[in-house]
Amino acid sequence: MKPETLHFFDRVYEVVKQIPSGKVTNYGAIARYLGAAKSARIVGYAMNASHNMDDVPAHRVVNRNGLLTGKFHFDGTNLMQQLLENEGVEVKNNQVKNLKDYYWDPNEELNLHDTI
């Protein structure tokens, strides 16, 4: 993997670490925050690569419709859903219900001048 890709992954992880318990965000919001609006898929690749990083709450990153698209990268059939439900997030049929109630936007919540 190219060094600049690894650096981008690290920047993604720094954003994801700031998502509060009980909240979710999406791949595109993280990409926009990092100034790479068309890189939502690369954010997804970073989430897939983080499965052994206990300090990166990857379960809090869903697709733009609230679907648990990353669930196959967690051990166990429903671990992503269980982790979210343990934090109070309501999930039904692999989708966050009432997404707007749980949505956390790094573009609004984080200082754009932070060094991430």
Side-chain angles (χ1 to χ4, degrees), residues 38-90:
K38 296 184 185 279
S39 297
R41 185 164 294 184
I42 305 301
V43 172
Y45 295 152
M47 293 295 83
N48 294 345
S50 72
H51 66 279
N52 289 326
M53 300 176 175
D54 292 335
D55 62 334
V56 177
H59 65 283
R60 296 181 187 149
V61 183
V62 298
N63 84 354
R64 64 183 172 168
N65 298 314
L67 288 171
L68 309 188
T69 52
K71 74 179 214 160
F72 301 110
H73 300 282
F74 287 84
D75 292 334
T77 308
N78 294 312
L79 182 58
M80 184 176 185
Q81 179 173 336
Q82 291 168 346
L83 290 168
L84 288 170
E85 289 175 341
N86 287 346
E87 295 179 356
V89 176
E90 191 176 356

Side-chain angles (χ1 to χ4, degrees), residues 1 7-8 11 16 19 41 43 66 75 85-86 94 109:
M1 202 174 300
H7 177 67
F8 186 78
R11 293 174 61 213
V16 173
I19 304 169
R41 185 164 294 184
V43 172
D75 292 334
E85 289 175 341
N86 287 346
N94 295 314
E109 303 294 337

Side-chain angles (χ1 to χ4, degrees), residues 1-18 30 33-34 42-43 45-47 49-50 53 55-56 115-116:
M1 202 174 300
K2 294 181 180 180
E4 58 269 16
T5 302
L6 291 174
H7 177 67
F8 186 78
F9 280 22
D10 289 338
R11 293 174 61 213
V12 167
Y13 301 146
E14 289 305 311
V15 173
V16 173
K17 289 176 185 179
Q18 297 182 63
I30 295 170
Y33 177 77
L34 294 175
I42 305 301
V43 172
Y45 295 152
M47 293 295 83
S50 72
M53 300 176 175
D55 62 334
V56 177
T115 55
I116 291 181

